[in-house]
Amino acid sequence: MVKQLVTPKRSLTEETEERLNGQIMMEGLSSARYLSMASWCDTMGYVKSADFLYRHSEEERQHMLKLFNYVNNAGGHALQPEISGIKHKFNSLREVFEEVLGHELEVTESINDLVEHCFKIKDFASFNFLQWFITEQREEETIARRAVELFDIIGEEGVGLWTIDQEIAKLEDFAVEQLPNEGE
Ligand code: OFO
């Protein structure tokens, strides 16, 4: 048996630990999906969308690490998720951002379930920790919704796709304008 150097002070139930690891998987999946989308955009010449998605992929990895630290500090064991089945090819730039929106909605649902669970079992430390993710999801959804809207507002004909690609670079600023005093 491997000797532990410190006695973990466990404040997580097994179920909460498992659920937090489930959220780690969701964030890891976000990071992997966005990296793959970024690479596809790069090969297609959508340079601003590629930059946006590379940045976003890195952000998702940071979200995953935030959960890693929390789980281990609370006496649990954060697990590197198995991630497979990543899509590499897309039919259009619109499809990429529709998938981003669909994925973010799933992430929000998963965070909400986790928060509800923590509240029910009175794990207020985890409940409190997870508030950051709630706020973050508001921002992520705002960005993803706007990205999809751009295709209808601008249209894809002529210089439309080029213009949409330029506008994607401004999405983070758009979220700050829409949600002042929220997020980081
Ligand atoms: Fe981690 O915020 Fe998107 O998924």
Side-chain angles (χ1 to χ4, degrees), residues 55-89:
R55 256 196 330 274
H56 219 62
S57 167
E58 186 49 36
E59 255 186 44
E60 297 295 356
R61 185 178 146 70
Q62 293 307 319
H63 298 174
M64 183 175 81
L65 291 178
K66 225 182 226 297
L67 287 153
F68 258 72
N69 288 334
Y70 181 76
V71 169
N72 286 345
N73 287 338
H77 186 181
L79 304 174
Q80 163 64 44
E82 300 288 336
I83 292 170
S84 60
I86 297 300
K87 180 170 164 179
H88 300 293
K89 290 204 167 41

Side-chain angles (χ1 to χ4, degrees), residues 131-145:
Q131 299 309 302
W132 182 90
F133 287 85
I134 300 262
T135 308
E136 180 65 12
Q137 279 314 115
R138 292 248 304 142
E139 185 188 309
E140 305 254 307
E141 275 190 33
T142 301
I143 288 177
R145 279 209 178 83

Side-chain angles (χ1 to χ4, degrees), residues 26-27 30 34 56 60 63 103-104 107 136-137 140:
M26 289 300 279
E27 304 292 343
S30 305
Y34 298 161
H56 219 62
E60 297 295 356
H63 298 174
H103 182 67
E104 286 305 329
V107 173
E136 180 65 12
Q137 279 314 115
E140 305 254 307

Side-chain angles (χ1 to χ4, degrees), residues 24-170:
I24 283 176
M25 152 66 93
M26 289 300 279
E27 304 292 343
L29 189 58
S30 305
S31 181
R33 284 188 175 165
Y34 298 161
L35 184 58
S36 179
M37 289 171 175
S39 180
W40 180 83
C41 288
D42 228 357
T43 65
M44 298 299 288
Y46 300 126
V47 288
K48 302 286 184 186
S49 301
D51 280 356
F52 170 83
L53 288 160
Y54 279 127
R55 256 196 330 274
H56 219 62
S57 167
E58 186 49 36
E59 255 186 44
E60 297 295 356
R61 185 178 146 70
Q62 293 307 319
H63 298 174
M64 183 175 81
L65 291 178
K66 225 182 226 297
L67 287 153
F68 258 72
N69 288 334
Y70 181 76
V71 169
N72 286 345
N73 287 338
H77 186 181
L79 304 174
Q80 163 64 44
E82 300 288 336
I83 292 170
S84 60
I86 297 300
K87 180 170 164 179
H88 300 293
K89 290 204 167 41
F90 302 86
N91 292 311
S92 63
L93 190 59
R94 180 193 276 262
E95 182 178 290
V96 167
F97 284 100
E98 281 175 350
E99 289 194 13
V100 170
L101 176 58
H103 182 67
E104 286 305 329
L105 293 174
E106 279 173 30
V107 173
T108 300
E109 206 179 310
S110 149
I111 283 284
N112 287 346
D113 286 350
L114 183 53
V115 169
E116 184 184 27
H117 160 80
C118 293
F119 188 78
K120 270 194 190 144
I121 66 158
K122 298 192 178 172
D123 178 351
F124 295 121
S126 300
F127 177 82
N128 188 38
F129 162 74
L130 290 166
Q131 299 309 302
W132 182 90
F133 287 85
I134 300 262
T135 308
E136 180 65 12
Q137 279 314 115
R138 292 248 304 142
E139 185 188 309
E140 305 254 307
E141 275 190 33
T142 301
I143 288 177
R145 279 209 178 83
R146 182 62 173 182
V148 172
E149 275 170 12
L150 288 175
F151 291 86
D152 294 327
I153 297 169
I154 298 171
E156 296 175 52
E157 300 307 313
V159 292
L161 271 179
W162 182 85
T163 312
I164 291 168
D165 189 46
Q166 301 298 307
E167 290 296 316
I168 297 285
K170 303 176 196 159

